């Protein structure tokens, strides 16, 4: 018999939880009814929040962690894992979410940042964290702070997939470049990426992030999901794209099927039929730079 | 008997890649199974870790349960880790009433038996069937085996902690299941055992 007691909150347990979500769709939900629709459609997890990004964008104001009663209600209503968002740097919101027993915390640029210099010290928590990134350096800084899963940021609440594409291509391109460097060049690469040398060397050796990489921010159609999976995402977050569309039940199922069968255009074509209106959407290019969420997080 | 058996990994969702790596490390070839057609030509099937509610849902939509049950009845060796254990169990408690399983393993399992993600843990485990060195076992929102039928061999029991006495690995003939995730640790002894079962069967 090994002489070790059970240990919770290890890196392997946190990262492994994200491995179980691979190939799946995580859906934003704002109430129990939506959470059940998401679970019935085959969502692999739900993200409980008060307003989807499109509404945060439309209504403005400070966006914060959701009401614990609402998160509790959703945790009681579904059997899939429940995630919830904390503001960037707001470690007390994260402490509350851990106390509630959520399965994953998203330290998210969709909410108004609480700290414009520091992110949460995620190593201090038992609950795992997912964080957004627009490039490899940002992803590795989040991992250094203890994130156990990364999602490319895209531009939440737009229904415009272009930034999601840019970010996942950039992350994968940055990784591809690292794998082509000789060992003595990795020190400067770490400096340029503003990331720890150990993580940079690990990524160069693995040819991928040492954690699961999902995509987010603008995915609104089955074709969007299939494209992002083909570009190398391990899975998909859909925020406003489902419940801001004409037929959320159908669209939720269709995006799940397209994510699973991303390499089979016949299936993606079939599930793309008769979905009704997609969310109206906003072109990222039309959003003033100051209102773009991708620049939150550093 | 083939020297390098072809083993399918059910690829609806979950940690498919990690199982492929482990199986290939012990000399098997792998193929992803997403449809009934994918079940032909394989000599074993792994049901990976993932979310059992989602996996059941996706298998229903893909009309996979009947072919999977037929394959199981025909004696196809199957190994399930975590969600895969739930998929192989004859009886599941604490699941959605519409959750279906392949069955074939005469056990009752309880979903999320250890609590939510903050209660997920790793521990050194005795699994005598794969050797005397303790197995580094990772439990993630894991199920446990509440009861077993007469033909089920218990391969491992938790010895420590609040859940001491819990059955976490079982075998019934060509069916193998673990509450934990050997595919996440680099220790391939459980996969090696499964490939041995497949080789002996074919």
């Amino acid at each position: 018999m090994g002489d070790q007691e059970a240990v919770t909150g290890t890196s392997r347990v946190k990262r492994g939880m994200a491995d179980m979500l691979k190939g799946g769709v995580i859906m934003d939900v704002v109430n129990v009814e939506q959470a059940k629709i998401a679970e019935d459609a085959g969502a692999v997890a739900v993200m409980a929040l008060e307003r989807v990004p499109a509404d945060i964008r439309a209504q403005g104001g400070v966006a914060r962690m959701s009401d614990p009663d609402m998160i509790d209600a959703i945790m009681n209503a579904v059997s899939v894992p429940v995630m919830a968002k904390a503001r960037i740097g707001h470690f007390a919101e994260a402490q509350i979410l851990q106390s509630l027993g959520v399965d994953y915390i998203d330290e998210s640029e969709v909410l108004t940042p609480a700290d414009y210099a520091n992110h949460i010290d995620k190593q201090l928590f038992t609950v795992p964290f997912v964080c957004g990134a627009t490039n490899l350096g940002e992803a590795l800084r989040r991992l250094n702070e203890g994130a156990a899963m990364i999602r490319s940021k895209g531009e939440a609440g737009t229904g415009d997939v272009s930034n999601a594409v840019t970010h996942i291509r950039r992350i994968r391109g940055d990784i591809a470049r690292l794998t082509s460097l000789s060992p003595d060049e990795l020190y400067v690469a770490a400096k340029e990426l503003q990331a720890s040398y150990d993580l940079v060397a690990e990524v160069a050796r693995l040819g991928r992030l040492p954690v699961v990489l999902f995509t987010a921010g603008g995915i609104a159609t089955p074709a969007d999901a299939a494209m992002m999976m083909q570009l190398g995402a391990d899975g998909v977050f859909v925020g406003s794209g489902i419940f801001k569309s004409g037929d959320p039940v159908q669209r939720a199922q269709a995006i799940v099927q397209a994510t699973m069968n991303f390499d089979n255009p016949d299936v993606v074509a079939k599930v793309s039929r008769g979905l009704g209106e997609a969310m109206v959407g906003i072109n990222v290019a039309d959003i003033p730079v100051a209102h773009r969420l991708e620049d939150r997080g550093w | 008997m083939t020297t390098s058996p072809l083993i399918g990994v059910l690829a609806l969702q979950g940690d498919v890649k990690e199982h492929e790596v482990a199986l290939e490390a012990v000399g098997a070839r792998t193929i992803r199974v997403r449809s009934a057609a994918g079940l032909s030509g394989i000599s074993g099937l792994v049901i990976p870790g993932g979310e059992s509610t989602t996996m059941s849902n996706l298998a229903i939509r893909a009309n996979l349960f009947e072919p999977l049950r037929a394959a199981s009845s025909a004696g196809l060796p199957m190994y399930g880790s975590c969600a895969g254990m739930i998929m192989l169990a004859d009886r599941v408690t604490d699941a959605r009433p519409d959750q279906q399983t392949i069955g074939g393993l005469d056990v009752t399992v309880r979903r999320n038996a250890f609590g939510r993600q903050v209660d997920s843990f790793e521990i050194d485990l005795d699994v005598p069937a794969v050797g005397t060195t303790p197995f580094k076992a990772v439990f993630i929102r894991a199920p446990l085996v509440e009861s077993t039928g007469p033909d089920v061999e218990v391969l491992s029991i938790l010895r420590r902690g609040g859940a001491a006495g819990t059955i976490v690995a079982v075998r019934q003939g060509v069916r193998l299941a673990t509450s934990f995730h050997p595919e996440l640790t680099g220790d391939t002894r459980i996969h090696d055992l499964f490939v041995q079962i497949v080789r002996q069967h074919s």
Side-chain angles (χ1 to χ4, degrees):
Chain A
M1 179 66 215
D3 48 9
Q4 187 202 18
E5 296 288 341
V7 192
T8 58
T10 64
S11 174
R12 190 147 43 192
V13 162
K14 291 173 172 178
R15 293 176 178 191
M17 169 71 206
D19 282 315
M20 300 312 136
L21 306 175
K22 286 197 294 191
V25 181
I26 300 168
M27 300 183 192
D28 279 3
V29 297
V30 301
N31 56 41
V32 166
E33 184 198 358
Q34 289 185 357
K36 287 182 168 167
I37 289 173
E39 185 177 70
D40 288 344
V44 76
V46 295
M47 176 78 69
L49 75 176
E50 240 149 42
R51 294 181 286 170
V52 294
D55 287 335
I56 292 172
R57 203 177 271 293
Q59 294 161 9
V62 175
R64 309 179 177 91
M65 179 192 80
S66 297
D67 184 329
D69 279 344
M70 175 270 204
I71 295 169
D72 267 349
I74 288 174
M75 288 201 304
N76 290 330
V78 295
S79 69
V80 294
V82 175
M83 301 183 164
K85 289 183 193 289
R87 283 179 267 178
I88 289 174
H90 207 315
F91 52 84
E93 284 189 348
Q95 289 163 357
I96 291 169
L97 293 174
Q98 174 165 288
S99 158
L100 294 178
V102 303
D103 295 298
Y104 238 94
I105 294 176
D106 184 2
E107 186 182 18
S108 177
E109 70 281 2
V110 166
L111 305 184
T112 309
D115 187 331
Y116 282 90
N118 306 290
H119 282 250
I120 296 168
D121 183 354
K122 295 167 276 288
Q123 308 274 10
L124 299 177
F125 288 77
T126 307
V127 66
F129 283 74
V130 56
C131 288
T134 62
N135 58 55
L136 180 60
E138 196 177 358
L140 296 184
R141 288 192 291 280
R142 297 296 85 78
L143 294 188
N144 212 28
E145 297 155 1
M149 176 181 184
I150 296 293
R151 56 176 173 73
S152 60
K153 279 183 182 171
E155 188 61 28
T158 61
D160 180 347
V161 78
S162 62
N163 272 21
V165 170
T166 303
H167 296 160
I168 204 141
R169 281 194 188 275
R170 192 183 291 147
I171 290 169
R172 297 202 66 208
D174 289 347
I175 292 171
R177 180 177 165 273
L178 274 193
T179 62
S180 72
L181 298 181
S182 61
D184 62 340
E185 292 169 330
L186 292 176
Y187 298 98
V188 172
K191 184 188 82 173
E192 288 170 355
L193 289 166
Q194 299 177 51
S196 99
Y197 167 79
D198 288 344
L199 276 171
V200 168
E202 185 180 9
V203 170
R205 181 166 46 79
L206 295 174
R208 58 173 176 79
L209 289 179
V211 300
V212 167
L213 172 64
F214 267 48
T215 183
I219 290 101
T221 69
D224 289 347
M227 174 169 67
M228 297 311 298
M229 293 296 288
Q230 288 183 46
L231 287 174
D234 291 318
V236 178
F237 283 89
V238 185
S240 320
I242 290 170
F243 291 102
K244 285 292 163 188
S245 74
D247 186 344
V249 173
Q250 280 278 97
R251 186 165 294 266
Q253 288 176 11
I255 292 178
V256 167
Q257 291 298 320
T259 301
M260 179 171 94
N261 297 288
F262 67 92
D263 52 358
N264 186 341
D266 294 342
V267 173
V268 181
K270 187 174 153 216
V271 302
S272 297
R273 292 174 191 273
L275 292 182
E277 289 291 308
M279 69 179 285
V280 175
I282 313 168
N283 293 321
V284 172
D286 296 338
I287 300 173
V289 170
H291 292 179
R292 292 186 193 170
L293 305 177
E294 63 164 324
D295 297 325
R296 293 176 172 176
W298 18 90
Chain B
M1 184 206 291
T2 164
T3 51
S4 180
L6 181 64
I7 296 183
V9 181
L10 188 67
L12 301 174
Q13 178 275 314
D15 65 342
V16 175
K17 182 75 196 166
E18 286 70 17
H19 277 287
E20 290 172 339
V21 169
L23 288 166
E24 284 160 17
V26 294
R29 292 171 298 137
T30 61
I31 187 166
R32 296 187 179 194
V33 174
R34 264 190 217 132
S35 65
L39 291 169
S40 61
I42 57 173
S43 40
L45 180 70
V46 169
I47 323 286
E51 285 306 318
S52 69
T53 306
T54 308
M55 213 180 277
S56 163
N57 181 321
L58 295 173
I60 291 169
R61 283 178 205 282
N63 295 314
L64 264 174
F65 272 113
E66 282 316 312
L68 284 168
R69 287 176 191 137
S72 179
S73 301
L76 183 71
M78 293 190 184
Y79 164 50
S81 71
C82 195
M85 171 189 259
I86 296 171
M87 289 283 280
L88 293 182
D90 280 342
R91 296 166 299 278
V92 183
T93 54
D94 206 22
R96 280 173 53 128
D98 57 350
Q99 178 156 347
Q100 292 193 34
T101 70
I102 302 165
L105 196 55
D106 185 11
V107 297
T108 303
V109 300
R110 175 172 291 279
R111 284 185 72 249
N112 292 358
F114 299 94
R116 299 195 72 94
Q117 170 59 16
V118 287
D119 305 304
S120 293
F121 62 98
E122 54 182 272
I123 194 168
D124 285 344
L125 201 62
D126 274 339
V127 190
V130 300
T132 51
T133 311
F135 206 97
K136 175 68 76 181
V138 183
F139 292 81
I140 297 173
R141 285 171 48 97
L144 63 76
V145 179
E146 282 190 331
S147 64
T148 60
D151 299 328
V152 175
E153 179 188 356
V154 173
L155 298 184
S156 187
I157 296 176
L158 274 179
R159 297 287 182 200
R160 286 166 184 265
T166 301
I167 299 170
V168 292
V170 291
R171 175 178 176 180
Q172 181 179 357
V174 296
R175 300 180 187 104
L176 184 66
T178 58
S179 301
F180 53 94
H181 294 280
E183 73 277 12
L184 293 182
T185 58
D187 188 335
T188 55
R189 288 178 290 164
I190 300 279
H191 290 83
D192 192 47
L193 172 62
F194 181 62
V195 171
Q196 284 176 41
I197 292 171
V198 169
R199 283 179 199 272
Q200 284 157 11
H201 181 72
S202 46

